[in-house]
Coordinates of all heavy atoms in Angstrom, one line a residue:
M1 N 0.9 -1.2 0.0 CA 0.0 0.0 0.0 C 0.9 1.2 0.0 O 1.9 1.3 0.7 CB -0.9 0.0 1.2 CG -1.7 1.3 1.3 SD -3.0 1.4 2.5 CE -3.8 -0.2 2.4
A2 N 0.5 2.2 -0.8 CA 1.3 3.5 -0.9 C 0.5 4.6 -0.2 O -0.7 4.7 -0.3 CB 1.5 3.8 -2.3
V3 N 1.3 5.6 0.3 CA 0.7 6.8 0.7 C 1.4 7.9 -0.1 O 2.7 7.9 -0.2 CB 1.0 7.1 2.2 CG1 0.5 8.5 2.6 CG2 0.3 6.0 3.0
V4 N 0.7 8.7 -0.8 CA 1.2 9.7 -1.8 C 0.6 11.0 -1.5 O -0.6 11.2 -1.3 CB 0.9 9.2 -3.2 CG1 1.3 10.3 -4.2 CG2 1.5 7.9 -3.6
E5 N 1.4 12.1 -1.5 CA 0.9 13.4 -1.5 C 1.1 14.1 -2.8 O 2.2 14.0 -3.4 CB 1.6 14.2 -0.4 CG 1.0 15.6 -0.2 CD 1.6 16.4 0.9 OE1 2.8 16.4 1.1 OE2 0.8 17.0 1.6
L6 N 0.1 14.8 -3.3 CA 0.1 15.5 -4.6 C -0.2 16.9 -4.4 O -1.2 17.3 -3.7 CB -0.9 14.8 -5.5 CG -1.2 15.6 -6.8 CD1 0.0 15.5 -7.7 CD2 -2.4 15.0 -7.5
T7 N 0.6 17.8 -5.0 CA 0.4 19.2 -5.1 C 0.4 19.5 -6.6 O 1.4 19.2 -7.2 CB 1.4 20.0 -4.3 OG1 1.3 19.6 -2.9 CG2 1.0 21.5 -4.4
V8 N -0.6 20.1 -7.1 CA -0.7 20.4 -8.5 C -0.7 22.0 -8.6 O -1.5 22.6 -8.0 CB -1.9 19.9 -9.2 CG1 -2.1 20.3 -10.7 CG2 -1.9 18.3 -9.2
C9 N 0.3 22.5 -9.4 CA 0.4 23.9 -9.6 C 0.2 24.3 -11.0 O 1.1 24.0 -11.9 CB 1.9 24.3 -9.2 SG 2.3 23.8 -7.5
P10 N -0.9 24.9 -11.3 CA -1.2 25.4 -12.7 C -0.3 26.6 -13.0 O -0.3 27.5 -12.1 CB -2.7 25.7 -12.7 CG -3.0 25.9 -11.3 CD -2.1 25.1 -10.5
L11 N 0.4 26.7 -14.1 CA 1.2 27.8 -14.4 C 0.7 28.6 -15.5 O 0.0 28.1 -16.4 CB 2.7 27.3 -14.7 CG 3.4 26.5 -13.7 CD1 4.7 26.1 -14.2 CD2 3.5 27.3 -12.4
G12 N 0.9 29.9 -15.5 CA 0.4 30.8 -16.5 C -1.0 31.1 -16.6 O -1.6 31.4 -17.6
T13 N -1.7 31.1 -15.4 CA -3.1 31.3 -15.4 C -3.5 32.7 -15.2 O -4.7 33.1 -15.4 CB -3.8 30.5 -14.2 OG1 -3.3 31.0 -13.0 CG2 -3.5 29.0 -14.3
G14 N -2.5 33.6 -14.9 CA -2.8 35.0 -14.7 C -3.4 35.3 -13.3 O -3.8 36.4 -13.0
T15 N -3.5 34.3 -12.4 CA -4.0 34.5 -11.1 C -3.2 33.8 -10.1 O -2.6 32.8 -10.4 CB -5.5 34.1 -11.0 OG1 -6.0 34.3 -9.6 CG2 -5.7 32.6 -11.3
T16 N -3.2 34.2 -8.9 CA -2.4 33.5 -7.8 C -3.3 32.4 -7.1 O -2.8 31.6 -6.4 CB -1.9 34.5 -6.8 OG1 -3.0 35.2 -6.2 CG2 -0.9 35.4 -7.4
S17 N -4.6 32.5 -7.4 CA -5.5 31.5 -6.7 C -5.5 30.2 -7.5 O -5.5 30.1 -8.7 CB -6.9 32.1 -6.7 OG -7.8 31.1 -6.2
A18 N -5.5 29.1 -6.7 CA -5.5 27.8 -7.3 C -6.7 27.0 -6.8 O -6.9 25.8 -7.2 CB -4.3 27.0 -7.0
S19 N -7.6 27.6 -6.1 CA -8.7 26.9 -5.5 C -9.7 26.2 -6.5 O -10.2 25.1 -6.2 CB -9.5 27.8 -4.5 OG -10.1 28.9 -5.2
K20 N -9.9 26.8 -7.7 CA -10.8 26.1 -8.6 C -10.1 24.8 -9.1 O -10.8 23.9 -9.4 CB -11.2 27.0 -9.7 CG -10.2 27.2 -10.9 CD -10.9 28.1 -12.0 CE -9.9 28.3 -13.1 NZ -10.6 29.1 -14.2
Y21 N -8.8 24.8 -9.2 CA -8.1 23.6 -9.6 C -8.1 22.5 -8.5 O -8.2 21.3 -8.8 CB -6.7 23.9 -10.1 CG -6.7 25.0 -11.1 CD1 -6.3 26.3 -10.8 CD2 -7.1 24.7 -12.4 CE1 -6.4 27.3 -11.8 CE2 -7.2 25.8 -13.4 CZ -6.8 27.0 -13.1 OH -6.8 28.0 -14.0
V22 N -8.0 23.0 -7.3 CA -8.0 22.1 -6.2 C -9.4 21.5 -6.1 O -9.6 20.3 -5.9 CB -7.7 22.8 -4.8 CG1 -7.9 21.9 -3.6 CG2 -6.2 23.3 -4.9
A23 N -10.4 22.3 -6.3 CA -11.8 21.8 -6.3 C -12.0 20.7 -7.4 O -12.7 19.7 -7.2 CB -12.8 22.9 -6.5
G24 N -11.4 21.0 -8.6 CA -11.5 20.0 -9.7 C -10.8 18.7 -9.3 O -11.4 17.6 -9.6
A25 N -9.7 18.8 -8.6 CA -9.0 17.5 -8.1 C -9.9 16.8 -7.2 O -10.0 15.5 -7.2 CB -7.7 17.9 -7.5
Q26 N -10.5 17.5 -6.3 CA -11.4 16.8 -5.3 C -12.6 16.2 -6.0 O -13.0 15.1 -5.6 CB -11.9 17.8 -4.2 CG -10.8 18.3 -3.3 CD -10.0 17.2 -2.6 OE1 -10.6 16.4 -1.8 NE2 -8.7 17.0 -3.0
Q27 N -13.1 16.8 -7.0 CA -14.2 16.1 -7.8 C -13.8 14.8 -8.4 O -14.5 13.9 -8.4 CB -14.8 17.1 -8.8 CG -15.6 18.2 -8.2 CD -16.1 19.2 -9.2 OE1 -15.4 19.5 -10.2 NE2 -17.2 19.8 -8.9
V28 N -12.6 14.9 -9.0 CA -12.0 13.6 -9.6 C -11.9 12.5 -8.5 O -12.3 11.4 -8.8 CB -10.6 13.9 -10.2 CG1 -9.9 12.6 -10.6 CG2 -10.8 14.8 -11.5
L29 N -11.4 12.9 -7.4 CA -11.3 11.9 -6.3 C -12.6 11.4 -5.8 O -12.8 10.2 -5.4 CB -10.5 12.5 -5.1 CG -9.0 12.7 -5.5 CD1 -8.3 13.7 -4.5 CD2 -8.3 11.4 -5.6
E30 N -13.6 12.3 -5.7 CA -14.9 11.9 -5.2 C -15.6 10.9 -6.2 O -16.5 10.2 -5.7 CB -15.8 13.1 -5.0 CG -15.4 14.0 -3.8 CD -16.2 15.3 -3.7 OE1 -17.1 15.5 -4.5 OE2 -15.8 16.1 -2.8
E31 N -15.3 11.0 -7.4 CA -15.9 10.1 -8.4 C -15.4 8.7 -8.4 O -15.8 7.9 -9.2 CB -15.7 10.7 -9.8 CG -16.5 12.0 -10.0 CD -16.1 12.8 -11.3 OE1 -15.2 12.3 -12.0 OE2 -16.8 13.8 -11.5
Q32 N -14.4 8.4 -7.6 CA -13.8 7.0 -7.5 C -14.0 6.5 -6.1 O -14.2 7.2 -5.2 CB -12.4 7.1 -8.0 CG -11.4 8.0 -7.2 CD -10.9 7.3 -5.9 OE1 -10.5 6.2 -5.9 NE2 -10.9 8.1 -4.8
N33 N -13.7 5.2 -6.0 CA -13.8 4.6 -4.7 C -12.7 3.6 -4.4 O -12.8 2.8 -3.4 CB -15.2 3.8 -4.5 CG -15.3 2.7 -5.5 OD1 -14.4 2.4 -6.3 ND2 -16.5 2.1 -5.5
K34 N -11.6 3.6 -5.1 CA -10.5 2.7 -4.9 C -9.4 3.3 -4.0 O -8.7 2.6 -3.3 CB -9.8 2.4 -6.2 CG -10.6 1.5 -7.1 CD -9.9 1.2 -8.4 CE -10.7 0.2 -9.3 NZ -9.9 -0.1 -10.5
V35 N -9.3 4.6 -4.0 CA -8.2 5.3 -3.3 C -8.8 6.2 -2.2 O -9.7 7.0 -2.4 CB -7.3 6.1 -4.2 CG1 -6.3 7.0 -3.5 CG2 -6.7 5.2 -5.3
K36 N -8.3 6.0 -1.0 CA -8.7 6.9 0.1 C -7.9 8.2 0.0 O -6.7 8.2 -0.5 CB -8.3 6.2 1.5 CG -8.8 6.9 2.7 CD -8.4 6.1 3.9 CE -8.9 6.8 5.2 NZ -8.6 6.0 6.4
Y37 N -8.5 9.3 0.3 CA -7.8 10.6 0.1 C -8.2 11.6 1.3 O -9.2 11.5 1.9 CB -8.1 11.2 -1.2 CG -9.6 11.5 -1.4 CD1 -10.1 12.7 -1.1 CD2 -10.5 10.5 -1.9 CE1 -11.5 13.0 -1.3 CE2 -11.8 10.8 -2.0 CZ -12.3 12.0 -1.7 OH -13.6 12.2 -1.9
L38 N -7.3 12.6 1.4 CA -7.5 13.6 2.5 C -6.9 14.9 1.9 O -5.7 15.0 1.7 CB -6.8 13.2 3.8 CG -6.9 14.2 4.9 CD1 -8.3 14.3 5.4 CD2 -6.0 13.7 6.1
L39 N -7.7 15.9 1.8 CA -7.3 17.2 1.4 C -6.6 17.9 2.6 O -7.1 17.8 3.7 CB -8.5 18.1 0.9 CG -8.2 19.5 0.6 CD1 -7.3 19.6 -0.6 CD2 -9.5 20.2 0.4
N40 N -5.5 18.6 2.4 CA -4.8 19.4 3.4 C -4.5 20.7 2.8 O -4.7 20.9 1.6 CB -3.6 18.6 4.0 CG -2.5 18.5 3.0 OD1 -1.9 19.5 2.5 ND2 -2.0 17.3 2.8
P41 N -4.1 21.7 3.6 CA -3.9 23.0 3.1 C -2.8 23.2 2.0 O -2.8 24.1 1.2 CB -3.4 23.8 4.3 CG -3.9 23.1 5.5 CD -3.9 21.6 5.1
M42 N -1.9 22.2 1.8 CA -0.9 22.3 0.8 C -0.9 21.2 -0.3 O 0.0 21.1 -1.1 CB 0.5 22.1 1.6 CG 0.7 23.2 2.6 SD 0.7 24.9 1.9 CE 2.3 24.9 1.1
G43 N -1.9 20.4 -0.3 CA -2.0 19.3 -1.2 C -3.1 18.3 -0.9 O -4.0 18.6 -0.1
T44 N -3.0 17.1 -1.5 CA -3.9 16.0 -1.2 C -3.1 14.8 -0.9 O -2.2 14.5 -1.7 CB -4.9 15.8 -2.3 OG1 -5.6 17.0 -2.6 CG2 -5.9 14.7 -2.0
V45 N -3.4 14.1 0.2 CA -2.8 12.8 0.5 C -3.7 11.7 0.0 O -4.9 11.7 0.3 CB -2.4 12.7 2.0 CG1 -1.8 11.3 2.3 CG2 -1.6 13.8 2.4
M46 N -3.1 10.7 -0.7 CA -3.9 9.6 -1.1 C -3.3 8.3 -0.6 O -2.1 8.2 -0.4 CB -3.9 9.5 -2.7 CG -4.6 10.7 -3.3 SD -4.4 10.7 -5.1 CE -3.0 11.8 -5.2
E47 N -4.1 7.3 -0.4 CA -3.7 6.0 0.2 C -4.3 4.9 -0.6 O -5.5 4.9 -0.8 CB -4.1 5.9 1.6 CG -3.9 4.6 2.3 CD -4.5 4.6 3.7 OE1 -4.1 5.4 4.6 OE2 -5.5 3.8 3.9
G48 N -3.5 3.9 -1.1 CA -4.0 2.8 -1.8 C -3.0 2.2 -2.7 O -1.8 2.3 -2.5
N49 N -3.5 1.5 -3.7 CA -2.7 0.8 -4.7 C -1.9 1.9 -5.5 O -2.6 2.8 -6.0 CB -3.5 -0.1 -5.6 CG -2.7 -0.7 -6.7 OD1 -2.4 -0.1 -7.7 ND2 -2.4 -2.0 -6.5
I50 N -0.6 1.7 -5.7 CA 0.2 2.7 -6.4 C -0.3 3.0 -7.8 O -0.3 4.1 -8.3 CB 1.7 2.4 -6.3 CG1 2.5 3.5 -6.7 CG2 2.0 1.1 -7.1 CD1 2.7 4.6 -5.7
D51 N -0.7 1.9 -8.5 CA -1.2 2.1 -9.9 C -2.5 2.9 -9.9 O -2.6 3.7 -10.8 CB -1.4 0.7 -10.6 CG 0.0 0.0 -10.8 OD1 1.0 0.7 -11.0 OD2 0.0 -1.3 -10.7
D52 N -3.4 2.6 -9.0 CA -4.6 3.4 -8.9 C -4.3 4.9 -8.6 O -5.0 5.8 -9.2 CB -5.5 2.8 -7.8 CG -6.0 1.4 -8.2 OD1 -6.1 1.1 -9.4 OD2 -6.4 0.7 -7.2
I53 N -3.4 5.1 -7.7 CA -3.0 6.5 -7.4 C -2.4 7.2 -8.6 O -2.8 8.3 -8.9 CB -2.1 6.5 -6.2 CG1 -2.8 6.0 -4.9 CG2 -1.5 7.9 -6.0 CD1 -1.9 5.8 -3.7
F54 N -1.5 6.6 -9.3 CA -0.9 7.2 -10.4 C -1.9 7.5 -11.5 O -1.9 8.5 -12.2 CB 0.3 6.4 -11.0 CG 1.6 6.6 -10.2 CD1 2.4 5.5 -9.9 CD2 2.0 7.9 -9.7 CE1 3.5 5.7 -9.1 CE2 3.1 8.0 -9.0 CZ 3.9 6.9 -8.7
A55 N -2.9 6.6 -11.7 CA -4.0 6.8 -12.7 C -4.8 8.1 -12.3 O -5.2 8.9 -13.1 CB -4.9 5.6 -12.8
L56 N -5.0 8.2 -11.0 CA -5.8 9.4 -10.5 C -5.0 10.7 -10.7 O -5.5 11.7 -11.0 CB -6.1 9.2 -9.0 CG -7.4 8.4 -8.7 CD1 -7.5 8.1 -7.2 CD2 -8.6 9.0 -9.3
I57 N -3.7 10.6 -10.4 CA -2.8 11.8 -10.6 C -2.9 12.2 -12.1 O -3.1 13.4 -12.4 CB -1.4 11.5 -10.2 CG1 -1.3 11.4 -8.7 CG2 -0.4 12.6 -10.7 CD1 0.1 10.9 -8.2
R58 N -2.9 11.3 -13.0 CA -3.0 11.6 -14.4 C -4.4 12.3 -14.7 O -4.5 13.3 -15.4 CB -2.9 10.4 -15.3 CG -2.8 10.6 -16.7 CD -1.4 11.2 -17.0 NE -1.5 12.1 -18.2 CZ -1.0 13.3 -18.3 NH1 -0.3 13.8 -17.4 NH2 -1.1 14.0 -19.4
K59 N -5.5 11.8 -14.1 CA -6.8 12.4 -14.3 C -6.9 13.8 -13.7 O -7.5 14.7 -14.3 CB -7.9 11.5 -13.7 CG -8.2 10.2 -14.4 CD -9.3 9.5 -13.8 CE -9.6 8.2 -14.5 NZ -10.7 7.4 -13.9
I60 N -6.2 14.0 -12.6 CA -6.2 15.3 -12.0 C -5.5 16.3 -12.9 O -5.9 17.4 -13.1 CB -5.7 15.2 -10.6 CG1 -6.6 14.5 -9.6 CG2 -5.3 16.6 -10.0 CD1 -6.1 14.1 -8.3
Q61 N -4.3 15.9 -13.4 CA -3.6 16.7 -14.3 C -4.4 17.1 -15.5 O -4.4 18.2 -15.9 CB -2.3 16.1 -14.7 CG -1.3 16.1 -13.6 CD 0.2 16.3 -14.0 OE1 1.0 16.2 -13.2 NE2 0.5 16.4 -15.3
E62 N -5.1 16.1 -16.1 CA -5.9 16.3 -17.3 C -7.0 17.3 -17.0 O -7.4 18.1 -17.8 CB -6.4 15.0 -17.9 CG -5.3 14.2 -18.6 CD -4.6 15.0 -19.7 OE1 -5.3 15.7 -20.4 OE2 -3.4 14.8 -19.8
D63 N -7.6 17.2 -15.8 CA -8.7 18.1 -15.4 C -8.2 19.5 -15.4 O -8.9 20.4 -15.8 CB -9.2 17.7 -14.0 CG -10.3 18.6 -13.6 OD1 -11.4 18.4 -14.1 OD2 -10.1 19.5 -12.7
V64 N -6.9 19.8 -14.9 CA -6.4 21.1 -14.9 C -6.2 21.6 -16.4 O -6.5 22.7 -16.8 CB -5.0 21.2 -14.2 CG1 -4.4 22.6 -14.3 CG2 -5.3 20.8 -12.7
F65 N -5.6 20.7 -17.2 CA -5.4 21.1 -18.6 C -6.8 21.4 -19.3 O -6.9 22.3 -20.1 CB -4.7 19.9 -19.4 CG -3.3 19.9 -19.2 CD1 -2.7 18.7 -18.6 CD2 -2.4 20.9 -19.5 CE1 -1.3 18.6 -18.4 CE2 -1.0 20.9 -19.2 CZ -0.5 19.7 -18.7
D66 N -7.8 20.6 -18.9 CA -9.2 20.8 -19.5 C -9.7 22.2 -19.1 O -10.6 22.7 -19.8 CB -10.1 19.7 -19.0 CG -9.8 18.4 -19.7 OD1 -9.1 18.3 -20.7 OD2 -10.4 17.4 -19.2
K67 N -9.2 22.8 -18.1 CA -9.6 24.1 -17.7 C -8.9 25.2 -18.4 O -8.9 26.4 -18.1 CB -9.5 24.3 -16.2 CG -10.5 23.5 -15.4 CD -10.3 23.6 -13.9 CE -11.4 23.0 -13.1 NZ -11.6 21.5 -13.3
G68 N -8.1 24.9 -19.4 CA -7.4 25.9 -20.3 C -6.0 26.2 -19.9 O -5.4 27.1 -20.4
V69 N -5.4 25.4 -19.0 CA -4.1 25.7 -18.5 C -3.1 25.0 -19.5 O -3.4 23.8 -19.9 CB -3.9 25.1 -17.1 CG1 -2.4 25.3 -16.7 CG2 -4.8 25.9 -16.1
D70 N -2.0 25.6 -19.9 CA -1.1 25.1 -20.8 C 0.1 24.4 -20.2 O 0.8 23.6 -20.8 CB -0.5 26.1 -21.8 CG -1.6 26.7 -22.7 OD1 -2.5 25.9 -23.1 OD2 -1.6 27.9 -23.0
R71 N 0.3 24.6 -18.9 CA 1.4 24.0 -18.2 C 1.0 23.7 -16.7 O 0.5 24.5 -16.0 CB 2.6 25.0 -18.2 CG 3.9 24.4 -17.6 CD 5.0 25.3 -17.7 NE 6.2 24.8 -17.2 CZ 7.4 25.4 -17.0 NH1 7.4 26.7 -17.3 NH2 8.4 24.9 -16.5
V72 N 1.3 22.4 -16.3 CA 1.0 22.0 -15.0 C 2.3 21.4 -14.4 O 2.9 20.5 -14.9 CB -0.1 20.9 -15.0 CG1 -0.4 20.4 -13.6 CG2 -1.4 21.4 -15.6
Y73 N 2.6 22.0 -13.2 CA 3.8 21.5 -12.4 C 3.2 20.8 -11.2 O 2.5 21.3 -10.5 CB 4.6 22.7 -12.0 CG 5.8 22.4 -11.2 CD1 7.0 22.0 -11.8 CD2 5.8 22.6 -9.8 CE1 8.1 21.7 -11.0 CE2 6.9 22.3 -9.0 CZ 8.1 21.8 -9.6 OH 9.2 21.6 -8.9
S74 N 3.6 19.5 -11.1 CA 3.1 18.7 -10.0 C 4.2 18.2 -9.1 O 5.3 17.8 -9.6 CB 2.4 17.5 -10.5 OG 1.2 17.9 -11.3
I75 N 4.0 18.2 -7.8 CA 4.9 17.8 -6.8 C 4.3 16.5 -6.2 O 3.2 16.5 -5.7 CB 5.2 18.8 -5.7 CG1 5.7 20.1 -6.4 CG2 6.1 18.3 -4.7 CD1 5.5 21.3 -5.6
I76 N 5.0 15.4 -6.3 CA 4.5 14.1 -5.9 C 5.5 13.5 -4.9 O 6.6 13.3 -5.2 CB 4.3 13.1 -7.1 CG1 3.3 13.8 -8.1 CG2 3.7 11.8 -6.6 CD1 3.3 13.0 -9.4
K77 N 5.0 13.2 -3.7 CA 5.8 12.5 -2.7 C 5.2 11.1 -2.5 O 4.0 11.0 -2.3 CB 5.8 13.3 -1.4 CG 6.5 14.6 -1.4 CD 6.6 15.1 0.0 CE 5.7 16.3 0.2 NZ 5.8 16.9 1.6
V78 N 6.0 10.1 -2.6 CA 5.5 8.7 -2.5 C 6.2 8.0 -1.4 O 7.4 7.9 -1.3 CB 5.8 8.0 -3.9 CG1 5.4 6.5 -3.8 CG2 5.2 8.7 -5.0
D79 N 5.4 7.3 -0.6 CA 5.9 6.4 0.4 C 5.2 5.0 0.1 O 4.1 4.8 0.4 CB 5.5 6.8 1.9 CG 6.0 5.9 2.9 OD1 6.6 4.9 2.6 OD2 5.8 6.2 4.1
D80 N 5.9 4.2 -0.6 CA 5.4 2.9 -1.1 C 6.1 1.8 -0.3 O 7.3 1.4 -0.6 CB 5.7 2.8 -2.6 CG 5.0 1.6 -3.2 OD1 4.2 0.9 -2.5 OD2 5.3 1.3 -4.4
R81 N 5.5 1.3 0.8 CA 6.0 0.4 1.7 C 5.6 -1.0 1.3 O 4.4 -1.3 1.0 CB 5.6 0.6 3.1 CG 6.7 1.0 3.9 CD 6.3 1.2 5.3 NE 7.2 0.3 6.1 CZ 7.6 0.5 7.3 NH1 7.1 1.5 8.0 NH2 8.4 -0.3 7.9
R82 N 6.5 -2.0 1.3 CA 6.2 -3.4 0.9 C 6.4 -4.3 2.1 O 5.9 -5.5 2.0 CB 7.2 -3.8 -0.2 CG 7.1 -2.9 -1.5 CD 5.8 -3.0 -2.2 NE 5.6 -2.1 -3.2 CZ 6.0 -2.2 -4.5 NH1 6.5 -3.3 -4.9 NH2 5.7 -1.3 -5.4
D83 N 7.0 -3.9 3.2 CA 7.2 -4.8 4.3 C 6.0 -4.8 5.3 O 5.9 -5.8 6.0 CB 8.5 -4.4 5.1 CG 8.4 -3.0 5.7 OD1 7.7 -2.1 5.1 OD2 9.1 -2.7 6.7
K84 N 5.2 -3.8 5.3 CA 4.0 -3.8 6.1 C 3.0 -2.8 5.6 O 3.4 -1.9 4.8 CB 4.3 -3.6 7.6 CG 4.8 -2.2 7.9 CD 5.0 -2.1 9.4 CE 5.3 -0.7 9.8 NZ 5.4 -0.5 11.2
I85 N 1.8 -2.9 6.0 CA 0.8 -1.9 5.6 C 1.0 -0.6 6.4 O 1.0 -0.7 7.6 CB -0.6 -2.5 5.8 CG1 -0.9 -3.6 4.8 CG2 -1.7 -1.4 5.5 CD1 -2.2 -4.3 5.0
A86 N 1.1 0.5 5.7 CA 1.3 1.8 6.3 C 0.2 2.7 5.8 O 0.2 3.1 4.7 CB 2.7 2.4 6.0
T87 N -0.7 3.0 6.7 CA -1.8 3.9 6.4 C -1.5 5.3 6.8 O -0.6 5.5 7.6 CB -3.1 3.4 7.0 OG1 -3.0 3.6 8.4 CG2 -3.5 2.0 6.6
M88 N -2.3 6.2 6.4 CA -2.2 7.6 6.8 C -2.3 7.7 8.3 O -1.5 8.3 9.0 CB -3.2 8.5 6.2 CG -3.1 8.7 4.7 SD -4.3 9.9 4.0 CE -5.6 8.8 3.6
E89 N -3.3 7.0 8.9 CA -3.6 7.0 10.3 C -2.4 6.3 11.1 O -2.0 6.8 12.1 CB -4.9 6.3 10.6 CG -6.1 7.1 10.2 CD -6.5 6.8 8.7 OE1 -5.8 5.9 8.1 OE2 -7.4 7.4 8.2
Q90 N -1.9 5.2 10.6 CA -0.8 4.5 11.2 C 0.4 5.4 11.3 O 1.1 5.4 12.3 CB -0.5 3.2 10.5 CG 0.6 2.4 11.1 CD 1.9 2.8 10.5 OE1 2.0 3.1 9.3 NE2 3.0 2.7 11.3
K91 N 0.7 6.1 10.3 CA 1.9 7.0 10.3 C 1.7 8.1 11.3 O 2.7 8.4 12.0 CB 2.1 7.6 8.9 CG 2.5 6.6 7.8 CD 2.4 7.1 6.4 CE 3.5 8.0 6.0 NZ 4.8 7.5 5.9
L92 N 0.6 8.7 11.4 CA 0.3 9.7 12.4 C 0.4 9.1 13.9 O 1.0 9.7 14.8 CB -1.0 10.4 12.2 CG -1.1 11.2 10.9 CD1 -2.5 11.7 10.7 CD2 -0.2 12.4 11.0
E93 N -0.2 8.0 14.0 CA -0.2 7.3 15.4 C 1.2 7.0 15.8 O 1.6 7.1 17.0 CB -1.1 6.1 15.4 CG -2.6 6.4 15.3 CD -3.0 7.2 16.5 OE1 -2.6 7.0 17.7 OE2 -3.8 8.1 16.3
S94 N 2.1 6.6 14.9 CA 3.4 6.3 15.2 C 4.2 7.5 15.8 O 4.9 7.4 16.8 CB 4.2 5.8 13.9 OG 5.5 5.5 14.2
V95 N 3.9 8.6 15.2 CA 4.6 9.9 15.7 C 4.0 10.3 17.0 O 4.7 10.6 17.9 CB 4.4 11.0 14.6 CG1 4.9 12.3 15.2 CG2 5.1 10.7 13.3
K96 N 2.7 10.2 17.1 CA 2.0 10.5 18.4 C 2.5 9.7 19.5 O 2.7 10.2 20.7 CB 0.5 10.4 18.3 CG -0.2 11.5 17.4 CD -1.7 11.3 17.3 CE -2.3 12.3 16.4 NZ -3.7 12.0 16.2
S97 N 2.7 8.4 19.3 CA 3.1 7.5 20.4 C 4.5 7.9 20.8 O 4.8 7.7 22.0 CB 3.1 6.0 19.9 OG 4.1 5.8 19.0
K98 N 5.3 8.4 20.0 CA 6.7 8.8 20.4 C 6.6 10.1 21.1 O 7.5 10.4 22.0 CB 7.6 8.9 19.2 CG 7.9 7.4 18.7 CD 8.4 7.3 17.3 CE 8.7 5.9 16.9 NZ 7.5 5.1 16.6
L99 N 5.7 11.0 20.8 CA 5.5 12.2 21.5 C 5.0 12.0 23.0 O 5.3 12.8 23.9 CB 4.5 13.1 20.8 CG 5.0 13.7 19.5 CD1 3.9 14.4 18.8 CD2 6.2 14.7 19.7
E100 N 4.3 10.9 23.2 CA 3.8 10.6 24.5 C 4.8 10.1 25.5 O 4.6 10.0 26.6 CB 2.6 9.7 24.4 CG 1.4 10.3 23.7 CD 0.3 9.3 23.3 OE1 0.5 8.0 23.5 OE2 -0.7 9.7 22.8
K101 N 5.9 9.6 24.9 CA 7.0 9.0 25.8 C 7.8 10.0 26.5 O 8.0 11.1 26.2 CB 7.9 8.2 24.9 CG 7.2 6.9 24.4 CD 8.2 6.1 23.6 CE 7.5 4.9 23.1 NZ 8.3 4.0 22.3

């Protein structure tokens, strides 16, 4: 299972606001049921099969292009663990448990 954070930056839009593109990404995510996701102030974290996640990233990028953007810069962070299942919640709980010590 992979945990991936995606930040999509549309370039050359003439505005500093990206909220309409973020909303488009959330709509793409809401239309599927294979990948768990969580919007945060700086991007979106996804959890699931790496192939499903990469397919969603492609759809999100295409959604931005469909809105008339000619260039999309994406930042993708991937934690693809094979030795055990690592969920978003498990990663947070691991840090919290160390803070409690």
Side-chain angles (χ1 to χ4, degrees):
M1 175 169 318
V3 177
V4 176
E5 183 174 46
L6 172 67
T7 302
V8 175
C9 305
L11 301 178
T13 63
T15 180
T16 57
S17 176
S19 58
K20 80 174 183 179
Y21 306 104
V22 173
Q26 291 305 295
Q27 288 176 329
V28 169
L29 291 164
E30 287 173 6
E31 292 171 356
Q32 59 81 44
N33 61 4
K34 291 182 178 180
V35 173
K36 186 175 179 178
Y37 60 93
L38 178 64
L39 176 65
N40 68 58
M42 301 298 289
T44 300
V45 180
M46 294 173 267
E47 172 188 296
N49 176 283
I50 192 76
D51 293 327
D52 294 334
I53 292 171
F54 282 137
L56 279 171
I57 290 171
R58 189 76 208 134
K59 284 183 181 179
I60 290 167
Q61 287 213 182
E62 287 303 320
D63 183 72
V64 177
F65 284 120
D66 290 346
K67 289 178 172 61
V69 175
D70 291 326
R71 186 175 180 189
V72 178
Y73 178 81
S74 295
I75 302 158
I76 303 166
K77 293 191 251 179
V78 178
D79 183 356
D80 188 8
R81 246 187 123 149
R82 305 289 170 93
D83 62 330
K84 68 178 190 175
I85 294 175
T87 65
M88 291 184 272
E89 291 85 4
Q90 178 271 326
K91 291 167 76 68
L92 292 173
E93 288 300 320
S94 179
V95 173
K96 287 179 185 176
S97 72
K98 287 161 182 75
L99 289 171
E100 293 170 357
K101 291 182 180 178

